[in-house]
Amino acid sequence: MTIDRGDEQFTGVFIPANIFLNDDLTSIEKVFWALIQSLAENQGCSASNKYLGKRMGRNPIWASKTVAKFKRLGLIEVDISDGYKRVIRVLSDVGK
């Protein structure tokens, strides 16, 4: 089933075993990582903290701090261009 919410085509998320079993992450952080992975599939995730927080039922500050945690743990890389445009990429060896 695909849920259409305007421009957004959302089909679901998958949490690989190494993320699911990662004791450094809370349950909601695991789901959040999977959301980012699903949005980053082709060219990276450019969603804002506001959007990501809303999808998770949290605020933008929570999203920002959690993205920083993922980066610190080596689960993602974050590229920033033009001083504010962010693209999140899931590292290729994570989630396999």
Side-chain angles (χ1 to χ4, degrees):
M1 169 190 277
T2 299
I3 298 172
D4 186 7
R5 295 190 174 149
D7 294 337
E8 175 185 357
Q9 292 288 321
F10 184 74
T11 57
V13 297
F14 172 75
I15 303 173
N18 66 325
I19 296 297
F20 187 80
L21 299 173
N22 187 325
D23 292 334
D24 292 328
L25 302 174
T26 67
S27 295
I28 195 165
E29 289 171 341
K30 293 170 186 181
V31 173
F32 186 51
W33 180 90
L35 172 64
I36 291 171
Q37 180 190 41
S38 73
L39 295 172
E41 234 172 72
N42 295 321
Q43 297 179 345
C45 172
S46 60
S48 68
N49 290 327
K50 181 178 180 180
Y51 175 86
L52 294 170
K54 181 178 178 182
R55 287 285 150 247
M56 296 302 299
R58 300 292 177 111
N59 63 44
I61 295 170
W62 177 87
S64 176
K65 288 181 179 181
T66 307
V67 166
K69 178 178 180 179
F70 292 164
K71 184 177 177 184
R72 188 175 64 253
L73 292 173
L75 302 176
I76 62 170
E77 65 180 13
V78 178
D79 297 320
I80 298 176
S81 63
D82 296 333
Y84 68 94
K85 293 179 184 177
R86 176 182 74 184
V87 176
I88 303 169
R89 291 185 176 77
V90 173
L91 295 177
S92 60
D93 60 339
V94 175
K96 292 185 178 180

